[in-house]
Amino acid sequence: MLLTEEAALRAYAKMINTLNAECIEPLIADDFIYESQQVFQPLESKEEFLEYIHGKLETIRRMKASVFAEMGTVDTFRRNQPCVILAQDDRDNLVGLALAETEGEFLKRIDLCIAPGPQSAKRSGEYPA
């Protein structure tokens, strides 16, 4: 069964909102790429990403930080596409967007973006959990 960008992003949002990566792990391709416009070096494998994200989620839990991942859409790269709108401390303190690329039944790539800005996305009010 083909994995859609929206389904992949819903799993990513659920991971952020629950601080648990189990929902996304089986979807990730072995040659997965995770890239952020704020970080110089991308993570270029499922193994690298899972090591990174487990540590990040644990840090968020330990610090009792509030993070929010809301489903949305954004008009970028000449098309309207699904995204996850990320917020920190408060649901209206928008800090970035997550965009996904899928291939077949796997999540191939996630890009964290500050441009386009999260304020440019259409918010849905849906926070997968």
Side-chain angles (χ1 to χ4, degrees):
M1 187 158 122
L2 294 180
L3 178 65
T4 65
E5 289 174 357
E6 184 175 347
L9 286 166
R10 193 171 304 287
Y12 179 81
K14 182 177 179 181
M15 174 189 73
I16 299 296
N17 290 329
T18 63
L19 302 179
N20 185 338
E22 286 181 10
C23 58
I24 201 169
E25 287 179 13
L27 305 178
I28 300 172
D30 290 337
D31 58 348
F32 175 76
I33 297 171
Y34 183 80
E35 195 159 11
S36 171
Q37 290 176 338
Q38 296 180 303
V39 178
F40 181 68
Q41 190 71 22
L43 301 175
E44 297 184 320
S45 72
K46 179 177 183 173
E47 185 179 312
E48 270 188 272
F49 171 73
L50 290 177
E51 183 177 322
Y52 163 80
I53 204 67
H54 284 292
K56 185 170 185 77
L57 295 174
E58 179 56 37
T59 298
I60 293 168
R61 271 193 295 277
R62 197 172 54 250
M63 297 187 77
K64 296 180 175 33
S66 295
V67 293
F68 304 94
E70 178 183 5
M71 297 303 296
T73 56
V74 66
D75 190 15
T76 186
F77 307 116
R78 297 194 174 131
R79 72 179 180 108
N80 197 27
Q81 63 184 15
C83 66
V84 171
I85 306 159
L86 300 165
Q88 196 171 329
D89 301 323
D90 180 274
R91 288 183 177 193
D92 291 322
N93 183 31
L94 307 182
V95 296
L97 292 178
L99 303 174
E101 183 180 313
T102 59
E103 186 175 279
E105 60 192 55
F106 292 104
L107 176 56
K108 188 76 170 165
R109 177 182 188 102
I110 288 186
D111 289 284
L112 294 184
C113 306
I114 53 174
Q119 294 78 8
S120 69
K122 181 178 178 189
R123 300 176 71 178
S124 70
E126 179 190 354
Y127 296 84

